Amino acid sequence: MPLLSVRGVCKRFPGVLALQDVSLDLPAGQVHALVGENGAGKSTLIKVLTGVHRADEGEIAYDGRPVDFHQPKQAQQAGISTIYQEVNLIPLMSVARNLFLGREPRRFGLIDLPRMNREASETLARYGVHVDVRKPLRSLGLGAQQMVALARAVAIDAKLLIMDEPTSSLEPREVETLFGVVRELSQRHISILYVSHRLDELYRLCDEVTVLRDGRVVHTGPLAAIDKLTLISKMLGRDLGGDGVTKFTHDRRAALPGPPQLRAEGMDKRNLLHDISFEVRRGEVVGLGGLLGSGRSETAKAIVGALPVDRGSVWVGGRRLARLSTAAAIKAGMAMLPEDRKAEGIIADLSVRENIVLAAMPSLHRAGLVSRRRQDQIVDVFMKRLRIKASSPQQRVGELSGGNQQKVLLARWLCLNPRVLLLDEPTRGIDVGAKAEVQALIDELARAGLAVVLISSDLEELVEGADRVVLLKAGAVVGELAGDQVDEHAVMGMLAHG
């Protein structure tokens, strides 16, 4: 008898059939991959399983009996725990309090802080995390926060662990630690529903795979029995051809004539950035490469004024910015897509329409009134151009899949017709199809004359997508590759020896 059995589950939202006749079985101790494009229904299925949403039709059996969870707490009490792609903890609380929230050790009726801090340190050390557990969670990097979330999920004695893109913020060492934990949990007969767009991870970890497309199950079976090309084809509903690897399509090109559209010079921030300088010309995609912690995101934030620097200067279109601030950057024609779209990008409770026109509002008013007709025109153009999947422009953006949220953010900045576009991990956590669409859009924007800065932890994406690559290590530039020099071996060699 499987630990989890889903039969004929349907879930409807206004104007959208999110799940249709979904069925799957998950035996005890199995690592089961759940894959599909953004919008395929993966997140909705997870929310139905964990009590966030209730199914409109169908049955769910868990641990041998029918269940109908009305809220997440009921699912957690039953032994179902979830680790989300975007860390879902309390940033202002200490690391230890986050780890033990709701089950704090007590002495004489009071929380035993010394014991809690000691046990938290010991627990996290087993996951390769060595931090001061008394500090606020927000003081940690995203990778360390994700490991805290994992440790908490495992510690509540779960029988079923749902992992939604658990490695999206982890360093390679942390990824290996996570894989070791997954294997150990499986040996302890804990079932794992594993959601990831990184196919190599799935083939290393998972026993079975279920593919969702447009809210339906289109395939389920042993993962070893299906190759990557076939798996991707089932996810997309079309034949990819070739080797099944999604890549940028452009050949490396020379920049368009004229002065650099973006020039950063001597960017310096104590303990973060050290004398970083580079330039980007019209029609050029320049990659910022480096390992996690190399200063890639910090460099981009410094350029657009989101990270104050100790010294440094920025030129846009040949003119130096008098002061480094986000307002000055936007006015000069710069736009940035942040790495953490949930915390720094989308406004989840606003509609798709409101999120798209947000940055353009100052240019849409006349005599103090904002033109509704002009807003609707802009939204219509970019929803079609970027193929944003939503029931209507009025749908809350927080209800969209990750890939469609990313497209909404791109639309917000593209409607300003920027000169320079800085993209920090633009394809992180989105599916193969959405990734291909975003990559094609980047290529299209470069052809149209934009200067693009591409930051990616995916080495293949960086090599395939950039005309030049500037490599960072420990907050400093260690080298630059251009044209035929840009290949994976050269990048890794320069990072290793730079």
Side-chain angles (χ1 to χ4, degrees):
M1 178 184 298
L3 176 73
L4 175 71
S5 180
V6 178
R7 286 289 173 270
V9 163
C10 296
K11 179 62 185 176
R12 298 177 182 86
F13 296 104
V16 177
L17 182 57
L19 297 175
Q20 186 172 1
D21 195 28
V22 171
S23 300
L24 67 85
D25 289 326
L26 183 53
Q30 185 181 91
V31 183
H32 194 112
L34 180 65
V35 300
E37 289 190 86
N38 282 305
K42 303 187 302 297
S43 296
T44 303
L45 178 58
I46 289 173
K47 288 175 181 177
V48 168
L49 295 177
T50 56
V52 177
H53 298 318
R54 296 180 68 191
D56 296 317
E57 297 176 24
E59 299 177 349
I60 300 173
Y62 173 73
D63 204 14
R65 64 182 187 276
V67 293
D68 182 17
F69 299 127
H70 290 59
Q71 54 185 333
K73 186 176 181 180
Q74 293 177 328
Q76 190 175 81
Q77 289 172 340
I80 299 176
S81 189
T82 307
I83 302 171
Y84 292 100
Q85 175 185 348
E86 284 140 338
V87 177
N88 196 24
L89 298 177
I90 305 173
L92 294 178
M93 278 191 175
S94 72
V95 174
R97 285 298 299 271
N98 271 281
L99 193 58
F100 282 93
L101 193 61
R103 53 184 192 88
E104 297 87 350
R106 296 182 178 271
R107 186 181 185 190
F108 306 123
L110 301 175
I111 295 175
D112 188 345
L113 285 175
R115 178 186 166 191
M116 183 175 69
N117 291 335
R118 183 180 67 254
E119 291 183 1
S121 295
E122 292 170 352
T123 298
L124 292 179
R126 293 198 293 271
Y127 293 86
V129 178
H130 302 278
V131 297
D132 185 347
V133 297
R134 298 169 297 181
K135 289 186 175 181
L137 180 75
R138 67 178 182 180
S139 66
L140 305 185
L142 278 175
Q145 290 185 36
Q146 189 72 287
M147 296 304 285
V148 173
L150 169 64
R152 172 176 167 75
V154 174
I156 65 172
D157 297 325
K159 296 179 182 177
L160 169 60
L161 186 59
I162 300 173
M163 294 185 167
D164 186 4
E165 298 286 351
T167 64
S168 62
S169 302
L170 302 186
E171 297 182 14
R173 174 182 57 81
E174 295 167 330
V175 170
E176 292 302 321
T177 301
L178 174 74
F179 287 177
V181 172
V182 169
R183 295 185 186 102
E184 177 190 341
L185 295 174
S186 177
Q187 291 171 359
R188 287 164 45 191
H189 301 290
I190 294 173
S191 302
I192 296 169
L193 189 63
Y194 194 92
V195 181
S196 178
H197 297 300
R198 299 181 176 181
L199 300 186
D200 289 340
E201 289 182 7
L202 303 182
Y203 280 91
R204 286 185 61 184
L205 282 179
C206 300
D207 308 306
E208 299 268 325
V209 62
T210 292
V211 182
L212 291 180
R213 188 172 73 242
D214 297 328
R216 292 174 174 268
V217 173
V218 296
H219 174 82
T220 190
L223 187 56
I226 184 171
D227 59 64
K228 288 183 183 179
L229 176 58
T230 306
L231 181 60
I232 293 172
S233 297
K234 289 185 179 297
M235 291 164 60
L236 300 181
R238 56 186 181 268
D239 184 11
L240 292 181
D243 59 1
V245 179
T246 303
K247 299 179 180 180
F248 282 82
T249 57
H250 82 268
D251 296 324
R252 304 201 200 284
R253 62 170 72 79
L256 297 176
Q261 281 289 78
L262 171 67
R263 179 156 67 95
E265 190 170 288
M267 306 298 288
D268 207 284
K269 173 72 173 178
R270 182 180 173 85
N271 297 327
L272 286 177
L273 305 176
H274 310 287
D275 196 30
I276 289 182
S277 301
F278 67 95
E279 62 183 36
V280 189
R281 296 181 178 272
R282 291 181 64 239
E284 198 177 27
V285 179
V286 172
L288 282 187
L291 303 176
L292 285 174
S294 62
R296 301 169 309 188
S297 297
E298 291 80 2
T299 296
K301 288 180 178 180
I303 289 171
V304 299
L307 175 69
V309 294
D310 301 322
R311 70 177 186 88
S313 51
V314 174
W315 281 260
V316 179
R319 300 182 63 180
R320 180 176 177 174
L321 271 60
R323 56 193 294 265
L324 296 181
S325 69
T326 52
I330 292 171
K331 187 176 180 180
M334 283 197 290
M336 179 178 171
L337 197 74
E339 176 185 13
D340 190 341
R341 62 176 173 262
K342 181 179 180 182
E344 301 176 335
I346 64 164
I347 302 176
D349 288 332
L350 294 185
S351 68
V352 172
R353 179 182 180 279
E354 291 165 327
N355 270 271
I356 289 176
V357 301
L358 195 61
M361 289 292 265
S363 64
L364 295 177
H365 74 84
R366 179 177 296 176
L369 299 175
V370 177
S371 169
R372 175 88 182 196
R373 182 179 61 82
R374 181 67 182 130
Q375 289 183 55
D376 290 339
Q377 288 175 344
I378 289 174
V379 171
D380 184 59
V381 165
F382 282 98
M383 285 191 72
K384 289 178 179 176
R385 181 180 176 189
L386 274 64
R387 294 190 286 277
I388 296 171
K389 291 182 181 178
S391 58
S392 79
Q394 307 308 321
Q395 185 177 2
R396 285 179 62 251
V397 78
E399 297 174 356
L400 302 187
S401 64
N404 283 298
Q405 289 177 2
Q406 196 78 303
K407 292 179 186 179
V408 168
L409 279 181
L410 273 169
R412 176 191 297 172
W413 294 114
L414 291 178
C415 70
L416 295 182
N417 295 315
R419 294 178 171 188
V420 179
L421 190 60
L422 295 95
L423 305 173
D424 192 356
E425 301 286 0
T427 64
R428 169 172 285 173
I430 65 178
D431 63 79
V432 174
K435 181 175 180 179
E437 290 178 354
V438 170
Q439 290 173 329
L441 179 61
I442 295 170
D443 190 42
E444 177 187 329
L445 295 172
R447 284 199 304 270
L450 258 70
V452 180
V453 177
L454 173 65
I455 300 172
S456 178
S457 56
D458 185 332
L459 183 57
E460 182 180 50
E461 178 174 83
L462 199 67
V463 167
E464 292 291 337
D467 302 304
R468 286 189 294 120
V469 175
V470 176
L471 296 169
L472 304 179
K473 189 174 183 180
V477 175
V478 294
E480 181 179 314
L481 300 169
D484 293 338
Q485 294 177 323
V486 182
D487 64 51
E488 294 187 12
H489 296 294
V491 170
M492 290 188 291
M494 191 167 285
L495 290 178
H497 303 297

